[in-house]
Amino acid sequence: MKVLVTGGAGFIGSHIVDRLAEEGHEVVVVDNMATGLRRNVNRAANLYKTDIQGWRLERIFRNERPNVVLHLAAQVNVRRSVEDPVFDAQVNVLGTMNVLQQAVRHGVRKVVFSSSGGGHLWGTGTGSST
């Protein structure tokens, strides 16, 4: 089975990629390398250094034709999400929408989404020092 892993150069993603490769799956990694590292990516995986928001994602889906997508890519820096919530939403909401849209367009059978839930809660008394 061919599996596309977004965020596959990160800590969790790279371990999932390793396991998929060990089990004999074809693995495609999409990561913008903002926090991921090339050395984390299993040599058996095909790495695309690109952003999930970009137009190149469509080309990757068209060329690779994955059966399954594991969507782990995200903007996870809490400080940045507070300082620039628009950027955070662009990556985490619009980027995810792009991944899902490409999955539907290209006949992906299953999408697995994982999120840390590391957001900031304003006015609740948790996570705020202001």
Side-chain angles (χ1 to χ4, degrees):
M1 175 171 37
K2 188 177 275 192
V3 182
L4 186 145
V5 181
T6 67
F11 179 76
I12 294 171
S14 64
H15 283 80
I16 291 172
V17 168
D18 287 344
R19 180 66 181 261
L20 290 167
E22 286 172 15
E23 292 180 1
H25 298 287
E26 285 183 74
V27 185
V28 176
V29 171
V30 172
D31 200 302
N32 69 358
M33 309 305 274
T35 58
L37 302 171
R38 174 63 184 109
R39 70 174 182 249
N40 290 348
V41 179
N42 191 299
R43 292 181 190 268
N46 190 4
L47 173 64
Y48 290 90
K49 183 181 174 187
T50 193
D51 195 282
I52 60 171
Q53 301 174 79
W55 61 269
R56 290 183 62 210
L57 192 64
E58 192 280 331
R59 184 179 296 163
I60 294 165
F61 271 81
R62 183 174 10 105
N63 292 339
E64 294 290 348
R65 297 281 184 199
N67 306 105
V68 174
V69 171
L70 300 180
H71 179 43
L72 308 171
Q75 191 301 108
V76 296
N77 184 309
V78 175
R79 182 179 306 266
R80 180 137 193 215
S81 72
V82 172
E83 292 170 356
D84 192 354
V86 172
F87 175 76
D88 192 72
Q90 286 172 331
V91 175
N92 294 337
V93 177
L94 298 179
T96 296
M97 288 176 61
N98 192 29
V99 170
L100 295 173
Q101 194 171 40
Q102 298 310 323
V104 169
R105 281 186 184 153
H106 296 283
V108 171
R109 293 186 309 195
K110 185 179 288 191
V111 175
V112 177
F113 172 75
S114 179
S115 173
S116 69
H120 190 88
L121 303 175
W122 284 100
T124 64
T126 60
S128 178
S129 62
T130 57

